[in-house]
Amino acid sequence: MIQHIGRATVATLAGGSAIACFGSAVAVWRIRSHADQVGASLLSLLNEYLPLASSGLAQIETVLIEVQPELSHATVEQMEARATRLIARMQGAIGFGRQLSTSITAINATLEQVNRSLPFGSIPTISHELAELEQHLQTITTQLGELHSLAAQAELTNHNGEAQVAALVECINGQITLAQPHVAATQLAIATVIAQIPLMEGNFTAWTGTAATVWTGMAMLLGAGQVSLLRQSMHWLTGA
C-alpha cells in the first residue's frame, strides 16, 4: 500500500512537472514577444525624437551664427535697436535649450534602460554638453543687455564710446565661438545614436530570441525527462 501511494505521488509530481516545463516554454515566447514590443517602442520613440532634437540644436546654432554679423555690421547708432532684437532671440534660444536639455536627460534614461537589457552591448548616451551651452547662451544674453545699456548712452558718439562697444561686441563673439562646439558635440552624439538604432533593434531581438531559445531547450529536456519518469511511474502503478 505504501509503495502504491509512493508511486502515485511520483506520477503526480512527474506529470505536474512535465506540464510546468512545457508551459514555461510557451510562456517564455510570449514574454519574449512582449519584450520585443517594449524594446521596439522605446527605440521608435528615440528614432522619432532624436531628429527633432537635432533640428532644435540647428535652430540654436542658426541664432548664434546670425548674431555675429548683426553686431559686427551695425553702427553705434543702430546698436541699441539691434541689441534689443537679439536679446529677445537669445532668450528664446535659452528657453528652447532648457527644454531640450530636459528631453535629452529623458533620452539618456531610455538609452540606459536599453543598455541594461543588452548584456553584451553598450549604447553611448548623449553628451551633457547642453548644460555648458546654456551657460554660454545666458552669458551672451547678459552681455547683449550690457551692450544695449551702453548703446543707450549719449556719450557713445565719441571715440571712447565706440571703443567700448567694439570691445563688448568682441566679447560676445568670443562667447559665441565657445558655444558653437557644444552644439556640434551634442549634434554628433545624437547622430551617432540615430545611426545605431537599427543595430540596437537587431541586437535586442537577437538577445531575446537567444534567451528564449535556450530556455525552451532546457524546458523541453526537463519536460522529456519528466515524461519518461511519468511513464515509468505509470508502469509501476499498473504493474503493482
Side-chain angles (χ1 to χ4, degrees), residues 71 131 142 177 225:
L71 292 177
T142 300
T177 301

Side-chain angles (χ1 to χ4, degrees), residues 127-190:
S127 62
H128 296 280
E129 300 287 337
L130 284 176
E132 293 188 36
L133 174 62
E134 184 182 332
Q135 291 179 3
H136 287 300
L137 294 178
Q138 187 63 61
T139 300
I140 293 167
T141 305
T142 300
Q143 290 175 337
L144 284 170
E146 295 172 3
L147 182 62
H148 178 271
S149 299
L150 190 61
Q153 297 176 20
E155 61 267 21
L156 285 185
T157 53
N158 60 41
H159 178 72
N160 183 54
E162 292 180 357
Q164 287 179 290
V165 169
L168 194 47
V169 168
E170 185 177 353
C171 287
I172 294 172
N173 286 335
Q175 282 295 325
I176 291 173
T177 301
L178 291 174
Q180 287 171 333
H182 296 292
V183 175
T186 306
Q187 284 181 317
L188 179 60
I190 289 175

Side-chain angles (χ1 to χ4, degrees), residues 69-86 147-148 151-152 156 165:
E70 283 264 10
L71 292 177
S72 301
H73 299 154
T75 64
V76 174
E77 291 76 16
Q78 296 172 327
M79 197 61 73
E80 183 179 358
R82 291 201 180 184
T84 300
R85 184 170 65 253
L86 292 174
L147 182 62
H148 178 271
L156 285 185
V165 169

